[in-house]
Amino acid sequence: DIQMTQSPSSVSASVGDRVTITCRASQGITTWLSWYQQRPGKAPKLLIYEASNLQSGVPSRFSGSGSGTDFTLTISSLQPEDFATYYCQQADSSPFTFGPGTRVDMK
Amino acid sequence: QVQLQESGPGLLRPSQTLSLTCTVSGGSISRGSYFWSWVRQPAGKGLEWIGRVFISGDTNYNPSLKSRLTMSVDTSKNQFSLQLTSVTAADTAVYYCARESVAVAGLDLWGQGTLVTVSS
């Protein structure tokens, strides 16, 4: 199985801050990586697919980059509704494993 | 628009079989190129990919659950389902059904989730 790690596990930030989350795969997955946002008590929501493609309806302050084993999710200017937990998921090979998550909370 | 809704028992005893159904509304489960997937999340923990089924009946399962798992699609009812045998407390979680577009390679539509508790 491909193992996914994320860093940091949590980050405290303020509205307007730039936030960067990193995801690493245990082996190369080209660009087969998705990012999800999950608010408390809610289902996850797809933000980014294939490493850098913005899902329809997702604000442009979210962006993704990377290939191979190292990937980044960036929120350019944090908004109040962005305080949530973010997960990466590899879509390269089954089982399609998730990272452990990064919680973004208010400083 | 297309929506997903999970249904099933909220409480099970150890060793029983968990059966969950996801009803697709607002569109045909047979239309388009989609994998129909299940993901679970124990309370306070991360997401675990369980498996997926294609409209043809082809499946991919998480090896950690494969020996206990069956997924299927019922096009006449516009539903897909999950069966997990011999459940234990470790199977207690919120179970989500989700849609994966072949074109998007991500889970682009989710149900609201249903809590399944395994307890004696």
Side-chain angles (χ1 to χ4, degrees):
Chain A
D1 297 3
I2 297 174
Q3 308 303 315
M4 307 300 292
T5 58
Q6 288 182 234
S7 61
S9 57
S10 66
V11 57
S12 294
S14 301
V15 172
D17 284 352
R18 181 181 184 90
V19 173
T20 299
I21 298 168
T22 297
C23 176
R24 176 166 289 174
S26 60
Q27 63 190 68
I29 58 171
T30 59
T31 57
W32 294 113
L33 186 99
S34 303
W35 288 98
Y36 300 87
Q37 175 194 68
Q38 186 178 35
R39 298 188 177 110
K42 300 295 186 182
K45 172 187 174 183
L46 179 66
L47 300 176
I48 302 283
Y49 64 95
E50 294 178 31
S52 61
N53 294 288
L54 194 68
Q55 172 67 352
S56 176
V58 174
S60 59
R61 63 181 180 274
F62 292 93
S63 63
S65 64
S67 66
T69 60
D70 295 318
F71 301 88
T72 299
L73 173 70
T74 299
I75 310 171
S76 60
S77 178
L78 197 68
Q79 298 303 300
E81 60 268 30
D82 301 337
F83 293 102
T85 300
Y86 294 84
Y87 294 92
C88 60
Q89 182 199 24
Q90 63 87 11
D92 180 80
S93 60
S94 178
F96 301 108
T97 41
F98 289 90
T102 295
R103 189 179 72 224
V104 177
D105 58 28
M106 194 175 299
K107 185 182 291 182
Chain B
Q1 70 279 21
V2 180
Q3 294 182 314
L4 305 180
Q5 178 67 59
E6 305 88 349
S7 59
L11 179 63
L12 286 169
R13 305 300 183 195
S15 81
Q16 289 186 321
T17 295
L18 169 63
S19 295
L20 293 175
T21 297
C22 185
T23 299
V24 180
S25 60
S28 171
I29 198 171
S30 301
R31 186 178 179 190
S33 296
Y34 298 111
F35 290 99
W36 302 98
S37 304
W38 292 93
V39 174
R40 70 181 182 179
Q41 184 173 37
K45 297 189 177 180
L47 301 167
E48 179 182 24
W49 183 82
I50 298 173
R52 66 183 185 180
V53 58
F54 197 59
I55 195 66
S56 63
D58 289 344
T59 56
N60 295 112
Y61 295 155
N62 191 322
S64 67
L65 299 168
K66 187 174 183 177
S67 64
R68 301 191 288 132
L69 188 60
T70 303
M71 291 185 183
S72 60
V73 173
D74 187 338
T75 56
S76 66
K77 295 182 178 179
N78 228 32
Q79 296 175 335
F80 61 103
S81 64
L82 168 157
Q83 281 200 328
L84 187 66
T85 63
S86 304
V87 297
T88 71
D91 296 310
T92 295
V94 174
Y95 285 74
Y96 295 99
C97 61
R99 183 185 76 178
E100 177 189 348
S101 167
V102 171
V104 167
L107 297 165
D108 66 347
L109 183 66
W110 294 68
Q112 66 184 25
T114 187
L115 175 62
V116 174
T117 302
V118 180
S119 174
S120 55

